[in-house]
Amino acid sequence: MKLYYAPGACSLAPHILVNELNIKVDLVRTDLRQKTYGNGQDFKAVNPKGAVPVLQLDNGDILTEAAVILQYLADQKPDAGLIAKARSWERYKTLEWLNFVATEMHKGFGPLWKPDTPQAYKEIAVKNLKDRFSFLENHFEINDFLMGKNYTAPDAYLFTVCNWANYLKVDLSAWPQLVSYMVRIKERPATLKSFEEEGLK
């Protein structure tokens, strides 16, 4: 398999998961501004949406969207416990968290990355994110991870997205439980390995 990624982008989440699961993938670094990879090949020929992550299977099939790729990877090694079995209540709760991260957190940070976003709109985006941080703070006051005591696929996604606060100068210090959660995830060997492979600090 191949995982097309850009350093620190949302593709970091499946990158972390493949290291958690010890799944062999070829990492393909992508330039999202130029929409190229490798020696200047056209990335849009791989994914017309022009976004990472992209997981290319050995048979050539393409899978996109971080939340879906995380499910696919976790299902490759179900005994690892990174996603609950199909049709179980725990599975639906895991999917609930994956969708929360995708729609509320990932998209919430989106306007802050765009240089042409009006400052007034950025302020609204930060206010909305702070509401989500408070929601997560309450959760982590009694839970180590999103699914309680056990690390699962959505944790890799939430960590990846909240880590953007470091680059966007969003101060998380008002949410100490969330900060502690971030430290727990970052110290995991799979996360450290992924950071090293992507050249992140």
Side-chain angles (χ1 to χ4, degrees), residues 94-129:
T94 307
L95 299 183
E96 180 180 28
W97 278 118
L98 280 171
N99 281 273
F100 171 80
V101 177
T103 61
E104 299 295 327
M105 304 303 297
H106 188 165
K107 289 301 180 185
F109 273 101
L112 304 183
W113 285 112
K114 299 177 180 178
D116 58 347
T117 299
Q119 183 59 33
Y121 188 76
K122 286 187 177 182
E123 291 173 6
I124 293 170
V126 170
K127 181 182 182 300
N128 290 337
L129 283 171

Side-chain angles (χ1 to χ4, degrees), residues 50-175:
V52 293
V54 174
L55 187 68
Q56 185 173 24
L57 306 189
D58 292 338
N59 65 3
D61 284 347
I62 293 290
L63 196 60
T64 65
E65 304 301 330
V68 177
I69 291 173
L70 290 168
Q71 292 175 63
Y72 178 83
L73 291 170
D75 277 334
Q76 301 313 296
K77 293 192 176 182
D79 291 344
L82 295 185
I83 197 164
K85 64 182 180 180
R87 295 187 297 277
S88 68
W89 178 247
E90 290 77 13
R91 177 72 169 225
Y92 295 116
K93 294 302 289 183
T94 307
L95 299 183
E96 180 180 28
W97 278 118
L98 280 171
N99 281 273
F100 171 80
V101 177
T103 61
E104 299 295 327
M105 304 303 297
H106 188 165
K107 289 301 180 185
F109 273 101
L112 304 183
W113 285 112
K114 299 177 180 178
D116 58 347
T117 299
Q119 183 59 33
Y121 188 76
K122 286 187 177 182
E123 291 173 6
I124 293 170
V126 170
K127 181 182 182 300
N128 290 337
L129 283 171
K130 287 180 176 180
D131 290 341
R132 304 299 180 261
F133 296 151
S134 295
F135 167 73
L136 290 166
E137 179 75 6
N138 290 334
H139 179 78
F140 291 128
E141 283 180 355
I142 56 174
N143 295 283
D144 294 332
F145 301 104
L146 289 175
M147 287 297 290
K149 294 295 182 184
N150 298 319
Y151 176 94
T152 56
D155 289 303
Y157 197 5
L158 180 63
F159 168 81
T160 294
V161 172
C162 287
N163 190 57
W164 294 341
N166 295 319
Y167 303 101
L168 297 167
K169 309 302 182 191
V170 177
D171 184 7
L172 296 181
S173 61
W175 301 276

